[in-house]
Amino acid sequence: MAERFVWPRAAQGTDSEALEGWLAEHGWEVDPTVFMAGVLGPAVQVRRIGEAGEEDEPGLLILPGEAMEYDGTRIRLASSLAGCPTG
């Protein structure tokens, strides 16, 4: 079963810490070279740890309010917020 995490709208520092911890548990990280601020809050780009600049694994852009899931191998956008801790 996939594990899920919701990147909330208007994310704060504690949300960033929670995301970074969740990603690290699965071998992923926030890409520090990509930052996007928007009306609903910041978007984050995530990638596998140690795969900076790898063309075959460009990472995943997570927008405010979106959920992601880990399927045991990859992180991808969740098809719905059902079953997410804050969704």
Side-chain angles (χ1 to χ4, degrees), residues 5-40:
F5 186 92
V6 175
W7 180 239
R9 292 186 172 143
Q12 302 296 312
T14 56
D15 298 311
S16 294
E17 291 172 13
L19 173 62
E20 289 172 4
W22 184 83
L23 289 169
E25 289 176 17
H26 304 302
W28 286 66
E29 66 185 353
V30 172
D31 185 340
T33 65
V34 178
F35 177 80
M36 289 172 264
V39 175
L40 298 176

Side-chain angles (χ1 to χ4, degrees), residues 7 19-20 23 28-37 42-49 51-55 57-64 66 68 75 77:
W7 180 239
L19 173 62
E20 289 172 4
L23 289 169
W28 286 66
E29 66 185 353
V30 172
D31 185 340
T33 65
V34 178
F35 177 80
M36 289 172 264
V44 293
Q45 175 93 7
V46 299
R47 64 184 184 197
R48 289 183 197 272
I49 293 173
E51 291 195 12
E54 295 290 328
E55 290 186 28
E57 191 71 46
L60 179 65
L61 179 65
I62 311 297
L63 301 175
E66 287 187 321
M68 62 201 92
I75 290 180
L77 292 180

